[in-house]
Amino acid sequence: MTARTPLRPAPLRLALIQHASGLDPAANRALIDELTPTETDLVVFPEAFARDFGEAGSDVSAFAEPTDGPFASEVARVAEERRTTIVAGMFEPGPEPGLPFNTLVVRGAASADYRKIHLYDSFGYRESDRLSPGPTEPRLVEVGGFTLGLMTCYDLRFPELARALVDRGAEVLVVPAAWVAGPRKVDHWRTLIRARAIENTVFVAAAGQPGPRYTGHSLVVDPLGDVLAEAEDGDTVLRASLEHDALLEARRANPSLANRRL
């Protein structure tokens, strides 16, 4: 009897939405419908898409919503209508008054919530003055036969989180962001995304808000660090197709995960 070849997942059809969110939550909700393309398996919007951060240090607690509130409900509605899965950022009421979570909602073929672990207390910013950190348990979700690991913006600077996600089975790291522009920031962004891909032999799909306030340069990187698609700094929809065989081949060529001794 001939052994059957294991079935591989179909390619994951991915779209990254590089678009600015504004200060009007209703207008941002409308953008979910306007910008979500058809014929995709996964659509990733940036961090804080339900409502932008506003001026640095602003109190955003008045714009926090539950994960079954207007924004997440619209994400779910559009995902069902387009037959896809959407990831998008919002603020959610936290454990302390005035200190919401920075949350990703995943709705569609899968449903999950991830609350940003590492708050952006860096480069002169103090996100922890206005937000609560999420629980430290890594968050994964299955979409289209791929296991996704969820991260948000500043989380990218912490390789421990990416490795914890990969150790739990992540094959694609999904990173919505509002990566603040400034000296060396695009270089840091591109370097860190490629490093997380190479050291973990995973795909990385990182969707950023555009310039001029943020860096843009949304990226899709394969498990060997090759850039599959990259935006400039303006509004755009970035598309890519992720092949499971590319992941397996990268791990055969570079079995660094299997070769670990610590």
Side-chain angles (χ1 to χ4, degrees), residues 47 102 114-121 127-128 132-136 151-162:
E47 176 186 20
N102 185 339
Y114 166 67
R115 295 158 184 99
K116 184 178 180 182
I117 294 171
H118 301 98
L119 299 182
Y120 185 47
D121 290 358
E127 202 170 67
S128 62
S132 292
T136 56
M151 305 173 71
T152 303
C153 201
Y154 191 52
D155 283 335
L156 191 61
R157 292 186 181 272
F158 298 87
E160 302 88 353
L161 177 57

Side-chain angles (χ1 to χ4, degrees), residues 31-43:
L31 287 172
I32 297 291
D33 192 357
E34 178 184 330
L35 297 173
T36 298
T38 58
E39 299 183 355
T40 60
D41 302 302
L42 180 65
V43 179

Side-chain angles (χ1 to χ4, degrees), residues 92-176:
E92 175 195 3
E96 298 182 42
L99 294 175
F101 290 123
N102 185 339
T103 298
L104 301 180
V105 293
V106 182
R107 298 291 185 270
S111 183
D113 304 314
Y114 166 67
R115 295 158 184 99
K116 184 178 180 182
I117 294 171
H118 301 98
L119 299 182
Y120 185 47
D121 290 358
S122 187
F123 293 98
Y125 287 80
R126 286 281 305 172
E127 202 170 67
S128 62
D129 289 343
R130 293 300 188 184
L131 297 172
S132 292
T136 56
E137 181 62 28
R139 196 74 172 96
L140 299 102
V141 64
E142 300 285 333
V143 174
F146 285 76
T147 303
L148 314 182
L150 302 176
M151 305 173 71
T152 303
C153 201
Y154 191 52
D155 283 335
L156 191 61
R157 292 186 181 272
F158 298 87
E160 302 88 353
L161 177 57
R163 180 54 56 87
L165 287 162
V166 170
D167 281 346
R168 289 161 174 79
E171 298 165 314
V172 184
L173 299 178
V174 176
V175 192

